[in-house]
Amino acid sequence: MPSILVTGGAGYIGSHTVVELFRADYKPVIIDNFSNSEKSVLKGIEAITGETISLYAGDCNDEQFVKHVFESEPEITGCIHFAAYKAVGESVEKPVQYYKNNINSLLELLSAMLKFNIKNLVFSSSCTVYGQPDDLPVTESSPVKKAESPYGNTKQICEEIIKDTVDATGKIKAVSLRYFNPVGAHPTSQIGELPIGTPNNLIPFLTQTVAGIREELIIFGDDYNTPDGTCVRDYIHVVDLAKAHVKALDYLEKEKNDSVYQVFNVGTGNGHTVLDVIKTFELATGEKVKYRIGIRRPGDIEKVWANADKIYEELNWKAERTLKQALYDAWNWQKVLKSRGK
Ligand code: UFG
């Protein structure tokens, strides 16, 4: 059973991926510095899987720490690198912090992988690399646009660093997964998103509004060139997204070519407007969402959704859960958070 290092394994997507790794008979080893996650997540993973977590609490930017993990876990054959800062707005205010953390942690990880002869890397990228695409849906060969934020730029730069390293060394095989909008929670309600402070993203803001924690949801603009004027996104259930990581690892484990680098979109292939999301939430849960239309949020893309054919054709992955299911799971998770006083 190969061990897989999961940096940021206590985070939102990381924790769901750890569950799926166990299911697929990998042994995940988590690194997390708990800067944007909580130890209780580990209990949730253990409750779902019945497995005991191997955790190394520390920072990927710390060379000695990463070395210690690889020395202690000689069975590691691959890494999934989630650990990064991810708030678009915050990255505009704190670019140095974002560049330093997101790029340096990747560099430390790659250095350690080369030193310890670890071959496989799955990297957590984002559809943000496409900006506002000229043609929809976006394919992996759609042009990468100038990043709208330092956060988006770190994803572009990290993808380039990985490609250069694969090409130059021939010792690392890698996949970058370009996520569209991850939503939902584990259907057991044992793990889910844990936003700190006021959520920036639509779904946690919406569920907190319905739970009475926020007064109302503000829709950021209804004058876009879309069917109802609100922005369009491709919302993907976090469990489906987690499974894509396992498929990517399976592929890398089997791939004979020692210097392969592949990029995949991970989305459903369907676009939904913000108003669609609200209506679907109400249908899924029977709850009413209090909302009003506000002004546009600076930097928002009008519409983006994935062409996800490549990942289906090459990795045999496709999204299986509906938006309705994701919103139902997100709401159940919100109720658990509320019962915990959060
Ligand atoms: N929205 C609202 N009100 C809110 C929050 C969001 O109307 O209170 C709208 C946004 O305008 C957008 C949609 O809901 O149309 C989704 O917004 P999110 O903030 O949830 O997600 P984004 O699409 O802006 O950002 C996500 C990820 C980023 C990633 C980006 C790539 O959070 O990490 O996709 O496009 F970079």
Side-chain angles (χ1 to χ4, degrees):
M1 191 198 288
S3 293
I4 304 299
L5 184 72
V6 186
T7 74
Y12 175 42
I13 307 169
S15 58
H16 289 81
T17 301
V18 167
V19 168
E20 297 307 321
L21 285 169
F22 276 125
R23 292 242 153 97
D25 277 339
Y26 287 102
K27 181 184 171 255
V29 173
I30 296 180
I31 289 185
D32 209 297
N33 67 1
F34 295 96
S35 65
N36 193 15
S37 55
E38 285 179 11
K39 294 249 161 74
S40 64
V41 172
L42 306 174
K43 287 206 184 74
I45 299 172
E46 290 181 341
I48 297 168
T49 60
E51 304 276 356
T52 308
I53 302 276
S54 305
L55 166 75
Y56 292 82
D59 201 307
C60 286
N61 289 291
D62 180 343
E63 186 183 348
Q64 290 309 315
F65 168 72
V66 176
K67 183 167 167 263
H68 163 69
V69 176
F70 280 120
E71 279 169 352
S72 311
E73 299 283 345
E75 307 294 314
I76 290 176
T77 59
C79 305
I80 307 183
H81 184 47
F82 292 105
Y85 294 149
K86 61 173 186 179
V88 177
E90 188 183 56
S91 80
V92 177
E93 285 155 30
K94 300 175 180 168
V96 175
Q97 199 172 310
Y98 268 68
Y99 284 114
K100 208 170 160 186
N101 183 59
N102 291 9
I103 291 170
N104 205 38
S105 62
L106 173 70
L107 293 173
E108 289 301 347
L109 186 67
L110 285 170
S111 308
M113 286 178 71
L114 289 168
K115 196 163 171 185
F116 288 85
N117 201 22
I118 313 291
K119 294 243 174 296
N120 304 326
L121 173 66
V122 179
F123 176 65
S124 179
S125 189
S126 167
C127 71
T128 193
V129 302
Y130 299 117
Q132 176 59 68
D134 299 326
D135 298 305
L136 285 163
V138 300
T139 69
E140 290 78 356
S141 47
S142 300
V144 164
K145 296 265 179 80
K146 186 180 171 345
E148 298 268 345
S149 68
Y151 161 78
N153 208 13
T154 67
K155 293 296 175 193
Q156 292 187 4
I157 295 168
C158 285
E159 283 195 9
E160 284 170 14
I161 291 172
I162 293 168
K163 181 164 191 324
D164 289 348
T165 308
V166 169
D167 288 349
T169 64
K171 288 183 177 161
I172 290 183
K173 299 177 274 178
V175 163
S176 288
L177 296 179
R178 292 177 176 165
Y179 313 153
F180 285 68
N181 287 52
V183 291
H186 200 270
T188 59
S189 301
Q190 294 283 357
I191 53 173
E193 199 168 356
L194 285 174
I196 293 176
T198 309
N200 296 308
N201 294 119
L202 177 63
I203 305 308
F205 202 102
L206 185 159
T207 57
Q208 287 194 4
T209 305
V210 178
I213 300 165
R214 311 277 154 210
E215 205 174 307
E216 60 183 353
L217 171 71
I218 296 165
I219 297 182
F220 298 141
D222 70 347
D223 55 353
Y224 287 99
N225 181 23
T226 62
D228 60 27
T230 65
C231 292
V232 173
R233 296 286 183 278
D234 185 337
Y235 295 94
I236 170 161
H237 196 299
V238 66
V239 172
D240 280 334
L241 177 55
K243 286 173 185 285
H245 293 78
V246 177
K247 290 280 191 183
L249 260 184
D250 290 344
Y251 157 75
L252 290 172
E253 291 271 335
K254 284 191 205 116
E255 177 59 53
K256 298 272 187 297
N257 176 355
D258 267 342
S259 58
V260 75
Y261 175 65
Q262 289 255 38
V263 172
F264 295 103
N265 285 344
V266 195
T268 66
N270 300 311
H272 292 277
T273 67
V274 180
L275 281 168
D276 270 348
V277 171
I278 293 173
K279 274 184 226 138
T280 309
F281 179 89
E282 292 183 338
L283 213 77
T285 64
E287 301 285 339
K288 273 278 357 107
V289 181
K290 197 172 165 208
Y291 70 86
R292 73 176 163 84
I293 308 294
I295 56 167
R296 289 183 177 200
R297 178 170 68 176
D300 260 341
I301 304 292
E302 181 171 88
K303 48 192 167 202
V304 63
W305 66 94
N307 174 317
D309 291 350
K310 185 181 174 202
I311 191 166
Y312 180 60
E313 282 156 17
E314 298 192 26
L315 304 189
N316 194 28
W317 175 93
K318 67 174 168 34
E320 284 170 351
R321 287 153 187 79
T322 60
L323 176 62
K324 193 172 168 193
Q325 175 78 53
L327 296 172
Y328 178 76
D329 292 336
W331 176 234
N332 285 335
W333 171 242
Q334 179 64 60
K335 287 193 279 191
V336 169
L337 287 179
K338 195 155 192 212
S339 71
R340 291 184 193 165
K342 295 198 170 169

